[in-house]
Amino acid sequence: MTEPGPQDHPPARPWAFPALLALVLALVVGWRLLPFDRPAPAPPVQPLAGEVEPLPGEVEVVVQIDETTLDQQHVPPTGGTVLAVLQAAGGESPAFVPEVRGEGAGAFVLSVGGVANEGAGGRNWTYSVNGQPGDRSAAIAPVKDGDRVLWKFTPPE
């Protein structure tokens, strides 16, 4: 039996493990830096109702369900009534399109943006102008430049 000599063992490579570890770390770090499946940056936040004042010659119209603002538009005070500016905003966004029964002082808003009144005890559409609750049909309630009209779908107060 012969004893193993130095030629029978592979040469020692003390640098192999650290080199392999460095390669794996470089791949992990490099992979994280590549732009794979990264979400696009979020668009800038748009101002909510009440944060942007209407320009001269405009009325701000806001639609809310409970306390959530669905949409906000600035429109000219065409027609000079709360209902007329709601209808004008409806040309810009479906959230504003009203369904109305009757006309003049007898006009009644049945739905806004496809959301119908729930009747007595339920949530219904009401409006306010500059924070003052409506006290007449929206078809005859006046608006002027700079007014803020809020249509709100809420339970009775």
Side-chain angles (χ1 to χ4, degrees):
M1 176 177 242
T2 57
E3 288 199 26
Q7 70 276 8
D8 294 335
H9 292 288
R13 294 187 182 122
W15 54 268
F17 180 73
L20 182 60
L21 183 60
L23 177 64
V24 168
L25 287 173
L27 287 173
V28 168
V29 169
W31 186 263
R32 302 256 332 181
L33 295 176
L34 292 175
F36 293 101
D37 299 304
R38 303 257 170 145
V45 175
Q46 296 298 317
L48 293 177
E51 293 182 5
V52 176
E53 294 297 318
L55 297 172
E58 289 182 333
V59 173
E60 179 183 40
V61 184
V62 179
V63 173
Q64 289 183 346
I65 292 184
D66 299 318
E67 297 300 319
T68 303
T69 299
L70 298 182
D71 206 346
Q72 166 187 348
Q73 296 287 327
H74 291 168
V75 297
T78 307
T81 67
V82 170
L83 181 58
V85 296
L86 178 65
Q87 291 168 325
E92 302 294 320
S93 169
F96 293 99
V97 176
E99 179 186 354
V100 181
R101 180 180 57 215
E103 53 188 60
F108 183 73
V109 174
L110 300 170
S111 70
V112 176
V115 179
N117 289 331
E118 295 174 348
R123 296 178 301 171
N124 294 288
W125 288 104
T126 60
Y127 75 88
S128 62
V129 178
N130 301 325
Q132 297 299 311
D135 60 357
R136 62 191 87 170
S137 168
I140 62 170
V143 293
K144 61 187 180 323
D145 288 1
D147 281 348
R148 180 175 192 263
V149 177
L150 172 63
W151 281 91
K152 201 167 185 179
F153 188 69
T154 59
E157 294 180 14

